């Protein structure tokens, strides 16, 4: 899995340890079986417009991005055994619960990697 940096173009905040899940096997596995994320870690899933937390033992923040990498929806602290989606999204950034607020990610921001 590739490790990338994700930068918020509006604030300059950077997530330094984001895994890129851009193949079917990587997207299907997602964060299942992983340890809880730190505030600098995440998983960028491409393409994607919905996620689930079945089989996970911790909550995550879910950041939905459109084709222009603009944040269109943020779900904070999605608990285990839940489902979330966004029809206008084409990518999803899964990050540690509380990380969206800590890293100042807001609806309308543009993220780059």
């Amino acid at each position: 899995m590739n490790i990338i940096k994700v930068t918020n173009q509006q604030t300059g905040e950077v997530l330094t340890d984001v895994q890129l899940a851009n193949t079917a096997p990587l997207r299907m596995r997602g964060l299942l079986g992983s340890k809880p994320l730190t505030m600098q870690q995440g998983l960028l899933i491409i393409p994607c417009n919905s996620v689930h937390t079945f089989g996970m033992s911790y909550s995550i923040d879910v950041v939905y991005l459109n084709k222009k990498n603009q944040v269109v929806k943020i779900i904070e602290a999605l608990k285990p055994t839940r489902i979330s989606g966004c029809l206008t999204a084409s990518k999803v950034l899964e990050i540690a619960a509380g990380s969206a607020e800590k890293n100042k990610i807001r609806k309308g921001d543009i993220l780059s990697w």
Side-chain angles (χ1 to χ4, degrees), residues 13-52:
E13 296 288 324
V14 177
L15 295 166
T16 59
D17 189 14
V18 177
Q19 296 180 354
L20 179 60
N22 60 352
T23 66
L26 293 174
R27 290 192 314 266
M28 284 190 288
R29 181 165 187 261
L31 293 173
L32 294 176
S34 69
K35 295 184 287 187
L37 299 169
T38 68
M39 291 294 179
Q40 284 299 308
Q41 292 178 315
L43 180 69
L44 180 62
I45 308 169
I46 302 171
C48 185
N49 66 2
S50 64
V51 298
H52 71 82

Side-chain angles (χ1 to χ4, degrees), residues 9-108:
Q9 295 300 304
Q10 277 60 43
T11 66
E13 296 288 324
V14 177
L15 295 166
T16 59
D17 189 14
V18 177
Q19 296 180 354
L20 179 60
N22 60 352
T23 66
L26 293 174
R27 290 192 314 266
M28 284 190 288
R29 181 165 187 261
L31 293 173
L32 294 176
S34 69
K35 295 184 287 187
L37 299 169
T38 68
M39 291 294 179
Q40 284 299 308
Q41 292 178 315
L43 180 69
L44 180 62
I45 308 169
I46 302 171
C48 185
N49 66 2
S50 64
V51 298
H52 71 82
T53 55
F54 293 103
M56 293 179 60
S57 60
Y58 56 92
S59 298
I60 58 173
D61 286 353
V62 182
V63 180
Y64 291 96
L65 306 166
N66 65 17
K67 290 179 182 177
K68 297 179 180 179
N69 300 334
Q70 183 175 36
V71 176
V72 293
K73 181 178 178 181
I74 301 171
I75 302 296
E76 295 181 346
L78 183 67
K79 296 179 182 178
T81 69
R82 303 292 195 280
I83 297 173
S84 176
C86 178
L87 294 177
T88 60
S90 63
K91 305 166 195 77
V92 172
L93 178 64
E94 297 180 337
I95 52 181
S99 189
E101 183 176 335
K102 180 189 176 292
N103 289 291
K104 302 174 184 160
I105 299 172
R106 305 280 185 261
K107 187 174 179 181

